[in-house]
């Protein structure tokens, strides 16, 4: 199960390749046993990473999924935006499920920005104002917080724990600015400031300057794993804009969200679901609107962790994956949820797009063009037998092997792991001989 190469000081990155919900949490958990530090680099409470250990499901939104591993540190980086009430609630809920001894292992960047309740209110009001043009955000305040950050009006964690009087002044000014945009915002300044005085004391022990910490860890030969949130097609710059998240969930977000140079990045593990899903509004060329979509949805438990809606389901879109591979430079693939396809008599894979009747070689930049494309499919015979107990590639049904090999050949990237169930042990690790 080893992912690290000869240069063990290189940072390994795990990224979602589609519209999120690919199964990144269980991949992080799988690899975290080999590392010293696991980092979140961007996003906020809009992430939903599940890890199942011995039948117990841990749910992570802000905490790095690797925090289950008792032998590694967990860093929430400067590119993450943090709603402290949700962070403490998440810690308490996972403690109830069995999370232990996290206090000495959690590190929070002093540069990470704070999400406030009024940011979440603002998120909801902005979505309502858009009406039928709404994007379908999680309403967790992520977009408004990044907007405050870019406007240089945001407030960092370090400002809360280092100088409360300065924090108070900035909080009042930021609240007033947001209320000018939406007078309907309800903000009790006195109550909020008192609440955050308590939060400052609770969070202070975990706050550090993390750029130095991570570079020292690299210098000391520590193994670092970076956990991306969301997926490449939700990236603010390279995703299906404007139906995207508000952060860079591609490889660039790793550098800007942690203060790491590109030269320290080694493996980039692409987490690919064996079919495609999307939780929110926006173009979805390979979407299915028939009984097969219902099968994928029900067998795959495709319901949002944050927005409690059914996920839209479709065939695997290799054409979009080729695009995100170009952006991110994936070096290996973890193919998840192959078992969900077990009952299908035939399976399709999107290998190209036609736009206005012509085959195109590029992934369209605009949502309007993507809404018009016609997917080009390759069809495969299904295997119609359970793969859930399989633990080696040569024991997979022949048609499942063909499916995996087609993905590898099309993307020219090796599949190193295959997920065939929700539990931690439900994974096939590919042999070196297969990948050579």
């Amino acid at each position: 199960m080893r992912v690290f190469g000869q240069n063990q000081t290189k940072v390994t990155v795990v990224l979602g390749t589609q519209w999120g919900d690919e199964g990144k949490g269980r991949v992080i958990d799988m690899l975290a046993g080999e590392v010293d530090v696991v980092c979140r680099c961007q996003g906020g409470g809009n992430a939903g990473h599940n890890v199942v250990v011995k039948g117990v499901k841990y749910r992570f939104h802000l905490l790095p999924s690797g925090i289950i591993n008792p032998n590694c540190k967990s860093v929430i980086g400067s590119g993450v935006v943090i709603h402290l009430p949700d962070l403490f609630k998440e810690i308490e809920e996972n403690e109830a499920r069995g999370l232990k001894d996290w206090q000495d292992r959690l590190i929070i960047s002093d540069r990470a920005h704070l999400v406030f309740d009024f940011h979440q209110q603002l998120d909801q009001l902005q979505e309502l104002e858009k009406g039928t043009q709404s994007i379908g955000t999680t309403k967790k305040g992520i977009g408004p917080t990044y907007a405050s950050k870019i406007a240089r009006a945001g407030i960092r964690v370090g400002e809360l724990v280092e100088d409360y009087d300065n924090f108070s002044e900035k909080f009042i000014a930021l609240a007033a600015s947001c209320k000018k945009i939406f007078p309907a915002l309800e903000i009790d300044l006195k109550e909020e400031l008192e609440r955050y005085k308590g939060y400052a004391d609770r969070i202070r022990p975990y706050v550090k300057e993390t750029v130095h910490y991570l570079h020292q860890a690299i210098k000391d030969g520590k193994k670092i794993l970076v956990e991306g949130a969301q997926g490449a097609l939700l990236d603010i710059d390279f995703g299906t804009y404007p139906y995207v998240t508000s952060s860079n969930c591609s490889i660039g977000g790793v550098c800007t969200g942690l203060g790491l140079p590109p030269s320290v990045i080694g493996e980039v593990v692409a987490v690919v679901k064996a079919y495609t899903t999307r939780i929110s509004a926006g173009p979805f060329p390979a979407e299915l609107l028939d009984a097969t979509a219902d099968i994928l949805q029900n067998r795959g438990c495709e319901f949002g962790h944050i927005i409690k809606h059914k996920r839209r389901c479709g065939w695997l879109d290799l054409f979009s994956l080729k695009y995100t591979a170009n952006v991110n430079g994936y070096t290996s693939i973890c193919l998840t949820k192959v078992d969900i396809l077990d009952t299908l008599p035939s399976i399709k894979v999107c290998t190209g797009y036609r736009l206005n009747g012509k085959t195109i070689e590029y992934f369209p930049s605009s949502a309007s063009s993507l809404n018009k494309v016609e997917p080009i499919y390759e069809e495969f015979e299904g295997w119609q037998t359970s793969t859930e107990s399989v633990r080696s590639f040569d024991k997979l049904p022949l048609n499942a092997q063909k499916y995996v090999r087609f993905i590898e050949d099309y993307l020219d990237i090796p599949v190193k792991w295959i997920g065939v169930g929700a539990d931690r042990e439900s994974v096939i690790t590919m042999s070196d001989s297969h990948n050579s």
Side-chain angles (χ1 to χ4, degrees):
M1 197 178 288
R2 293 192 67 79
V3 66
F4 298 92
Q6 291 180 348
N7 185 349
Q8 296 186 350
T9 61
K10 289 285 188 179
V11 173
T12 294
V13 177
V14 174
L15 295 177
T17 60
Q18 297 154 303
W19 281 289
D21 307 308
E22 301 95 348
K24 296 180 291 297
R26 63 95 47 87
V27 179
I28 291 290
D29 176 61
M30 178 180 72
L31 300 177
E34 298 182 32
V35 306
D36 303 294
V37 185
V38 179
C39 308
R40 268 285 303 275
C41 61
Q42 43 72 225
N46 54 342
H49 297 167
N50 287 345
V51 178
V52 180
V53 182
K54 296 180 180 179
V56 178
K57 182 182 284 188
Y58 295 86
R59 295 183 175 93
F60 300 111
H61 306 293
L62 283 160
L63 293 172
S65 302
I67 200 165
I68 296 177
N69 185 329
N71 300 313
C72 69
K73 303 286 188 179
S74 289
V75 174
I76 299 177
S78 57
V80 180
V81 292
I82 305 172
H83 184 245
L84 291 181
D86 283 348
L87 175 63
F88 292 125
K89 180 182 177 184
E90 182 180 331
I91 289 170
E92 290 165 4
E93 289 177 347
N94 282 294
E95 279 183 320
R97 296 182 183 109
L99 178 65
K100 298 177 181 178
D101 303 323
W102 58 270
Q103 293 89 342
D104 295 329
R105 297 185 290 109
L106 178 63
I107 299 169
I108 300 172
S109 171
D110 58 359
R111 290 184 173 90
H113 277 247
L114 291 167
V115 180
F116 297 108
D117 287 1
F118 59 76
H119 281 129
Q120 296 187 338
Q121 287 186 56
L122 189 56
D123 201 349
Q124 295 173 34
L125 291 168
Q126 287 174 334
E127 280 286 278
L128 285 171
E129 189 178 62
K130 291 171 185 173
T132 58
Q133 301 299 312
S134 66
I135 292 169
T137 76
T138 58
K139 301 180 178 65
K140 290 287 185 178
I142 309 302
T145 303
Y146 278 117
S148 296
K149 176 179 177 177
I150 296 302
R152 293 165 291 188
I155 303 175
R156 291 171 160 183
V157 171
E159 293 173 293
L160 172 63
V161 301
E162 292 168 10
D163 186 343
Y164 183 75
D165 290 338
N166 179 60
F167 164 81
S168 298
E169 290 179 11
K170 292 193 70 172
F171 181 89
I172 292 168
L174 179 58
S177 176
C178 289
K179 203 166 174 61
K180 280 183 182 179
I181 301 171
F182 276 95
L185 285 178
E186 298 177 4
I187 308 171
D188 186 327
L189 290 175
K190 183 178 179 181
E191 180 181 317
E192 285 294 282
L193 287 171
E194 189 63 30
R195 188 162 66 131
Y196 272 85
K197 184 179 290 186
Y199 287 147
D201 292 335
R202 288 182 69 182
I203 201 171
R204 188 173 286 109
Y206 314 112
V207 178
K208 284 189 179 182
E209 196 291 307
T210 54
V211 175
H212 173 77
Y213 174 83
L214 290 174
H215 280 264
Q216 187 62 49
I218 293 170
K219 185 177 179 181
D220 292 342
K222 302 291 187 183
K223 296 174 190 146
I224 297 175
L225 186 61
V226 178
E227 171 180 359
Q230 291 84 47
L233 292 174
L234 291 174
D235 186 272
I236 186 67
D237 288 306
F238 300 107
T240 51
Y241 190 87
Y243 301 95
V244 293
T245 192
S246 299
S247 62
N248 286 111
C249 35
S250 57
I251 195 70
V254 174
C255 299
T256 58
L258 292 170
L260 297 177
S263 57
V264 304
I265 296 174
E267 291 272 0
V268 182
V269 180
V271 186
V272 178
K273 192 182 285 186
Y275 51 100
T276 310
T277 61
R278 179 163 202 169
I279 190 66
S280 56
F284 187 172
E287 184 173 14
L288 290 167
L289 301 170
D290 58 11
T292 302
D294 295 334
I295 292 170
L296 295 174
Q297 186 180 89
N298 292 324
R299 282 182 55 80
C301 298
E302 297 296 351
F303 301 90
H305 306 307
I306 309 298
I307 305 176
K308 303 300 181 182
H309 294 166
K310 294 178 180 179
R311 295 189 186 119
R312 300 154 64 190
C313 295
W315 296 120
L316 180 63
D317 188 340
L318 288 180
F319 191 72
S320 68
L321 283 173
K322 176 73 82 172
Y323 163 69
T324 68
N326 288 340
V327 171
N328 292 295
Y330 308 135
T331 58
S332 62
I333 293 170
C334 180
L335 185 65
T336 63
K337 288 196 166 185
V338 169
D339 57 300
I340 306 305
L341 306 179
D342 285 352
T343 64
L344 299 179
S346 64
I347 299 166
K348 292 182 179 180
V349 174
C350 176
T351 58
Y353 294 166
R354 291 190 188 93
L355 181 59
N356 299 323
K358 296 181 179 179
T359 302
I360 57 175
E361 297 182 356
Y362 60 92
F363 187 81
S365 303
S366 72
S368 59
S369 291
L370 267 175
N371 276 323
K372 296 174 186 175
V373 300
E374 174 192 351
I376 301 168
Y377 289 115
E378 291 257 355
E379 189 164 0
F380 299 84
E381 288 185 28
W383 41 95
Q384 295 188 284
T385 186
S386 176
T387 60
E388 291 185 35
S389 62
V390 178
R391 295 294 179 268
S392 64
F393 183 73
D394 60 355
K395 294 295 192 296
L396 277 175
L398 183 59
N399 286 343
Q401 293 183 33
K402 290 179 179 177
Y403 187 71
V404 173
R405 289 190 179 110
F406 185 85
I407 293 168
E408 288 184 312
D409 291 343
Y410 183 96
L411 296 174
D412 195 25
I413 304 169
V415 172
K416 286 194 175 182
W417 305 275
I418 301 171
V420 288
D423 203 69
R424 184 185 250 179
E425 290 77 24
S426 300
V427 63
I428 296 167
T429 301
M430 305 291 272
S431 65
D432 291 338
S433 61
H434 170 83
N435 288 316
S436 60

